[in-house]
Amino acid sequence: QLIKLQKLLITHNPLTGTIPSSIGLLAELQYISLAYRLPLFSRRGGGGSIPTEIGLLAGLKHCHFYLNSLDGTIPTEMSLLAGLTLIDFSTNNLSGTIPPTMGQLTKLEKLELNQNELNGTIPSLMGLLTGLTYMHISSNKLTGTLPSTMGLLTKLQQLHLNWNSLGGSIPTEMGQLTKLGILGNYGNALNGTIPT
């Protein structure tokens, strides 16, 4: 019934249960942080999945579910949240692939999906996230090669790819990332030269 709620911050609490589907009724919500579900440092899952109704939160800008024992997949309905600037789903037990539809979040500046169980390849449509400055997808089960469209992320300052199963060469297009200050790539099987 809190239909006027704009910020929901519930962190560092021993919460139980799952994120209710009724969260989609909070039509004016702009910022949600349900991070640090106690006990800390647990990735066992059991916190339920991210409800698809999150796609109803048209005004959402920040979505912060770090360390929340979440499992299941990343809902494709996230792509409906055109105003999102931050997604942090890191240190959970999320599985499945990175939805290609996330490329529709053109205002996204920070994406953290590290320390999950995500698999499959990095979608080429991620190259549409031209406002992205920080991307952390380390410690998953991602495979395949880096898409050449990564070279379109010209605002990118940090890119963390560590501890996946990525292979092939680094696309020459990534030489266009002139603002990139940190490229983390250990624990993969990338080869060839570093583009300049």
Side-chain angles (χ1 to χ4, degrees):
Q1 299 181 13
L2 303 175
I3 59 174
K4 296 294 183 181
L5 197 66
Q6 295 183 348
K7 291 188 177 183
L8 178 60
L9 312 175
I10 307 177
T11 65
H12 295 87
N13 281 286
L15 296 174
T16 58
T18 61
I19 301 172
S21 60
S22 57
I23 197 170
L25 299 176
L26 304 178
E28 296 193 20
L29 201 63
Q30 297 179 22
Y31 189 109
I32 182 169
S33 180
L34 303 178
Y36 297 98
R37 185 191 297 237
L38 298 176
L40 292 178
F41 311 115
S42 173
R43 286 181 58 199
R44 292 173 295 177
S49 59
I50 301 169
T52 58
E53 288 81 1
I54 199 168
L56 299 174
L57 304 178
L60 198 64
K61 297 178 180 178
H62 283 209
C63 190
H64 194 224
F65 291 161
Y66 169 75
L67 196 60
N68 213 332
S69 298
L70 295 173
D71 44 34
T73 60
I74 299 173
T76 56
E77 288 80 1
M78 292 292 300
S79 64
L80 301 174
L81 306 179
L84 269 179
T85 61
L86 180 147
I87 294 175
D88 185 355
F89 293 163
S90 59
T91 318
N92 282 289
N93 199 41
L94 297 173
S95 58
T97 60
I98 300 174
T101 50
M102 289 188 77
Q104 298 175 31
L105 302 176
T106 55
K107 292 186 178 179
L108 199 64
E109 299 173 3
K110 190 171 184 179
L111 177 63
E112 298 188 64
L113 302 176
N114 50 297
Q115 292 187 310
N116 279 288
E117 299 293 325
L118 298 172
N119 56 51
T121 60
I122 300 172
S124 60
L125 290 178
M126 298 294 276
L128 298 177
L129 302 178
T130 53
L132 207 62
T133 62
Y134 183 95
M135 183 175 180
H136 198 339
I137 55 176
S138 299
S139 300
N140 279 289
K141 297 178 179 179
L142 299 173
T143 57
T145 59
L146 297 180
S148 60
T149 53
M150 296 285 283
L152 300 174
L153 306 180
T154 54
K155 294 184 179 179
L156 202 60
Q157 299 173 19
Q158 293 191 36
L159 176 59
H160 300 270
L161 305 168
N162 312 311
W163 301 117
N164 281 289
S165 297
L166 300 169
S169 59
I170 299 176
T172 56
E173 290 83 356
M174 288 184 65
Q176 302 171 33
L177 305 184
T178 57
K179 294 185 178 180
L180 192 64
I182 297 177
L183 173 59
N185 181 41
Y186 51 84
N188 284 299
L190 295 174
N191 55 54
T193 60
I194 298 175
T196 57

